[in-house]
Short mmCIF file of all heavy atoms in Angstrom, two decimals:
data_model
loop_
_atom_site.label_atom_id
_atom_site.label_comp_id
_atom_site.label_asym_id
_atom_site.label_seq_id
_atom_site.Cartn_x
_atom_site.Cartn_y
_atom_site.Cartn_z
N GLY A 26 0.79 -1.22 0.00
CA GLY A 26 0.00 0.00 0.00
C GLY A 26 0.82 1.27 0.00
O GLY A 26 0.28 2.37 -0.11
N THR A 27 2.16 1.12 0.12
CA THR A 27 3.04 2.30 0.09
C THR A 27 4.02 2.21 -1.08
O THR A 27 5.09 2.83 -1.05
CB THR A 27 3.82 2.47 1.40
OG1 THR A 27 4.77 1.40 1.54
CG2 THR A 27 2.89 2.47 2.60
N GLU A 28 3.68 1.44 -2.10
CA GLU A 28 4.55 1.28 -3.27
C GLU A 28 4.87 2.65 -3.85
O GLU A 28 4.04 3.55 -3.86
CB GLU A 28 3.88 0.40 -4.31
CG GLU A 28 3.68 -1.05 -3.87
CD GLU A 28 2.42 -1.27 -3.04
OE1 GLU A 28 1.64 -0.31 -2.86
OE2 GLU A 28 2.21 -2.41 -2.56
N ARG A 29 6.10 2.76 -4.39
CA ARG A 29 6.54 4.08 -4.83
C ARG A 29 7.62 3.98 -5.90
O ARG A 29 8.23 2.91 -6.10
CB ARG A 29 7.12 4.86 -3.64
CG ARG A 29 8.42 4.24 -3.12
CD ARG A 29 8.73 4.65 -1.71
NE ARG A 29 7.75 4.17 -0.76
CZ ARG A 29 7.81 4.41 0.55
NH1 ARG A 29 8.79 5.13 1.03
NH2 ARG A 29 6.89 3.95 1.36
N LEU A 30 7.88 5.10 -6.53
CA LEU A 30 9.08 5.28 -7.34
C LEU A 30 10.07 6.07 -6.48
O LEU A 30 9.72 7.11 -5.94
CB LEU A 30 8.78 6.03 -8.63
CG LEU A 30 7.78 5.37 -9.59
CD1 LEU A 30 7.53 6.29 -10.79
CD2 LEU A 30 8.28 4.01 -10.06
N ARG A 31 11.27 5.55 -6.34
CA ARG A 31 12.28 6.20 -5.50
C ARG A 31 13.29 6.90 -6.40
O ARG A 31 14.07 6.26 -7.10
CB ARG A 31 12.97 5.16 -4.60
CG ARG A 31 14.10 5.70 -3.74
CD ARG A 31 14.66 4.56 -2.90
NE ARG A 31 15.84 4.94 -2.16
CZ ARG A 31 17.09 4.85 -2.63
NH1 ARG A 31 17.30 4.41 -3.87
NH2 ARG A 31 18.11 5.19 -1.88
N ILE A 32 13.26 8.23 -6.37
CA ILE A 32 14.08 9.05 -7.26
C ILE A 32 15.28 9.57 -6.49
O ILE A 32 15.15 10.07 -5.36
CB ILE A 32 13.24 10.21 -7.82
CG1 ILE A 32 12.06 9.65 -8.63
CG2 ILE A 32 14.08 11.14 -8.68
CD1 ILE A 32 11.00 10.68 -8.96
N THR A 33 16.46 9.46 -7.08
CA THR A 33 17.68 9.92 -6.41
C THR A 33 18.48 10.83 -7.35
O THR A 33 19.36 10.37 -8.08
CB THR A 33 18.56 8.72 -5.97
OG1 THR A 33 18.83 7.89 -7.11
CG2 THR A 33 17.84 7.90 -4.91
N PRO A 34 18.20 12.13 -7.31
CA PRO A 34 18.95 13.07 -8.16
C PRO A 34 20.42 13.10 -7.76
O PRO A 34 20.76 12.98 -6.59
CB PRO A 34 18.27 14.42 -7.86
CG PRO A 34 16.98 14.08 -7.19
CD PRO A 34 17.19 12.80 -6.48
N SER A 35 21.27 13.29 -8.74
CA SER A 35 22.71 13.41 -8.50
C SER A 35 23.15 14.83 -8.83
O SER A 35 22.37 15.62 -9.37
CB SER A 35 23.48 12.42 -9.39
OG SER A 35 23.57 12.92 -10.71
N PRO A 36 24.41 15.18 -8.56
CA PRO A 36 24.89 16.51 -8.96
C PRO A 36 24.83 16.74 -10.47
O PRO A 36 24.92 17.89 -10.92
CB PRO A 36 26.35 16.51 -8.47
CG PRO A 36 26.39 15.52 -7.36
CD PRO A 36 25.42 14.46 -7.76
N TYR A 37 24.66 15.68 -11.25
CA TYR A 37 24.74 15.77 -12.70
C TYR A 37 23.38 15.75 -13.39
O TYR A 37 23.31 15.73 -14.62
CB TYR A 37 25.65 14.66 -13.23
CG TYR A 37 27.03 14.74 -12.63
CD1 TYR A 37 27.38 13.94 -11.55
CD2 TYR A 37 27.96 15.66 -13.10
CE1 TYR A 37 28.63 14.04 -10.96
CE2 TYR A 37 29.21 15.77 -12.52
CZ TYR A 37 29.54 14.96 -11.45
OH TYR A 37 30.79 15.07 -10.86
N HIS A 38 22.30 15.76 -12.62
CA HIS A 38 20.96 15.88 -13.20
C HIS A 38 20.64 17.37 -13.33
O HIS A 38 20.26 18.03 -12.36
CB HIS A 38 19.92 15.19 -12.32
CG HIS A 38 19.96 13.69 -12.38
ND1 HIS A 38 20.82 12.93 -11.60
CD2 HIS A 38 19.26 12.80 -13.14
CE1 HIS A 38 20.63 11.64 -11.86
NE2 HIS A 38 19.69 11.54 -12.80
N ASP A 39 20.78 17.90 -14.54
CA ASP A 39 20.61 19.34 -14.74
C ASP A 39 19.12 19.69 -14.86
O ASP A 39 18.24 18.83 -14.83
CB ASP A 39 21.41 19.83 -15.95
CG ASP A 39 20.99 19.14 -17.25
OD1 ASP A 39 19.82 18.72 -17.37
OD2 ASP A 39 21.84 19.06 -18.17
N ASP A 40 18.86 21.00 -15.01
CA ASP A 40 17.48 21.47 -15.05
C ASP A 40 16.69 20.84 -16.20
O ASP A 40 15.50 20.53 -16.07
CB ASP A 40 17.44 23.00 -15.18
CG ASP A 40 17.78 23.71 -13.89
OD1 ASP A 40 17.93 23.03 -12.86
OD2 ASP A 40 17.91 24.96 -13.91
N GLY A 41 17.35 20.66 -17.35
CA GLY A 41 16.68 20.06 -18.49
C GLY A 41 16.22 18.65 -18.20
O GLY A 41 15.09 18.25 -18.57
N LEU A 42 17.05 17.88 -17.52
CA LEU A 42 16.67 16.50 -17.17
C LEU A 42 15.54 16.50 -16.14
O LEU A 42 14.64 15.64 -16.20
CB LEU A 42 17.88 15.75 -16.63
CG LEU A 42 19.01 15.46 -17.63
CD1 LEU A 42 20.15 14.72 -16.96
CD2 LEU A 42 18.49 14.66 -18.83
N VAL A 43 15.58 17.44 -15.19
CA VAL A 43 14.52 17.52 -14.18
C VAL A 43 13.18 17.85 -14.84
O VAL A 43 12.15 17.24 -14.55
CB VAL A 43 14.87 18.57 -13.10
CG1 VAL A 43 13.70 18.73 -12.12
CG2 VAL A 43 16.14 18.18 -12.35
N ASP A 44 13.19 18.83 -15.75
CA ASP A 44 11.95 19.21 -16.44
C ASP A 44 11.41 18.06 -17.29
O ASP A 44 10.19 17.82 -17.34
CB ASP A 44 12.20 20.44 -17.33
CG ASP A 44 12.50 21.70 -16.52
OD1 ASP A 44 12.17 21.72 -15.32
OD2 ASP A 44 13.07 22.65 -17.09
N ALA A 45 12.31 17.34 -17.96
CA ALA A 45 11.88 16.20 -18.78
C ALA A 45 11.29 15.10 -17.91
O ALA A 45 10.32 14.43 -18.30
CB ALA A 45 13.06 15.66 -19.59
N LEU A 46 11.85 14.90 -16.72
CA LEU A 46 11.32 13.91 -15.79
C LEU A 46 9.90 14.27 -15.38
O LEU A 46 9.00 13.41 -15.40
CB LEU A 46 12.22 13.82 -14.55
CG LEU A 46 11.68 12.97 -13.39
CD1 LEU A 46 11.60 11.50 -13.78
CD2 LEU A 46 12.55 13.14 -12.14
N ALA A 47 9.68 15.53 -15.03
CA ALA A 47 8.35 15.97 -14.60
C ALA A 47 7.32 15.76 -15.70
O ALA A 47 6.20 15.26 -15.46
CB ALA A 47 8.39 17.43 -14.17
N GLU A 48 7.66 16.13 -16.92
CA GLU A 48 6.74 15.98 -18.04
C GLU A 48 6.42 14.51 -18.30
O GLU A 48 5.26 14.13 -18.54
CB GLU A 48 7.33 16.63 -19.29
CG GLU A 48 6.45 16.52 -20.53
CD GLU A 48 5.08 17.14 -20.35
OE1 GLU A 48 4.98 18.16 -19.63
OE2 GLU A 48 4.10 16.60 -20.92
N ALA A 49 7.44 13.66 -18.26
CA ALA A 49 7.22 12.24 -18.48
C ALA A 49 6.33 11.63 -17.40
O ALA A 49 5.42 10.84 -17.68
CB ALA A 49 8.57 11.51 -18.54
N LEU A 50 6.59 12.01 -16.15
CA LEU A 50 5.78 11.50 -15.05
C LEU A 50 4.32 11.92 -15.19
O LEU A 50 3.41 11.13 -14.93
CB LEU A 50 6.36 11.98 -13.71
CG LEU A 50 7.64 11.28 -13.24
CD1 LEU A 50 8.26 12.04 -12.08
CD2 LEU A 50 7.35 9.83 -12.84
N LEU A 51 4.09 13.15 -15.58
CA LEU A 51 2.70 13.61 -15.76
C LEU A 51 1.98 12.80 -16.84
O LEU A 51 0.81 12.45 -16.68
CB LEU A 51 2.69 15.10 -16.13
CG LEU A 51 2.99 16.07 -14.98
CD1 LEU A 51 3.15 17.49 -15.51
CD2 LEU A 51 1.88 16.02 -13.92
N GLN A 52 2.68 12.49 -17.92
CA GLN A 52 2.07 11.68 -18.97
C GLN A 52 1.75 10.27 -18.48
O GLN A 52 0.69 9.72 -18.76
CB GLN A 52 2.99 11.63 -20.19
CG GLN A 52 3.14 12.96 -20.91
CD GLN A 52 4.01 12.85 -22.15
OE1 GLN A 52 4.04 11.81 -22.82
NE2 GLN A 52 4.72 13.93 -22.50
N VAL A 53 2.68 9.69 -17.74
CA VAL A 53 2.48 8.34 -17.21
C VAL A 53 1.34 8.34 -16.20
O VAL A 53 0.48 7.43 -16.19
CB VAL A 53 3.79 7.81 -16.57
CG1 VAL A 53 3.53 6.55 -15.75
CG2 VAL A 53 4.83 7.54 -17.65
N TRP A 54 1.32 9.32 -15.32
CA TRP A 54 0.25 9.41 -14.31
C TRP A 54 -1.12 9.50 -15.00
O TRP A 54 -2.08 8.87 -14.56
CB TRP A 54 0.48 10.63 -13.42
CG TRP A 54 0.83 10.29 -12.00
CD1 TRP A 54 0.12 10.63 -10.88
CD2 TRP A 54 1.97 9.55 -11.52
NE1 TRP A 54 0.75 10.14 -9.75
CE2 TRP A 54 1.88 9.48 -10.12
CE3 TRP A 54 3.05 8.94 -12.16
CZ2 TRP A 54 2.83 8.83 -9.34
CZ3 TRP A 54 4.00 8.28 -11.39
CH2 TRP A 54 3.89 8.23 -10.00
#
């Protein structure tokens, strides 16, 4: 009941990658 996606950003995940992640997650959701 607490299943999740565990995200671990690194120093090398730039703003472009973060924005792309958010957009992809919204589509999947």
Side-chain angles (χ1 to χ4, degrees):
T27 69
E28 294 84 4
R29 67 200 65 180
L30 299 177
R31 176 180 173 271
I32 299 167
T33 55
S35 78
Y37 302 98
H38 286 85
D39 60 27
D40 285 353
L42 293 179
V43 176
D44 292 341
L46 171 66
E48 179 58 34
L50 285 168
L51 285 172
Q52 291 183 32
V53 168
W54 248 241

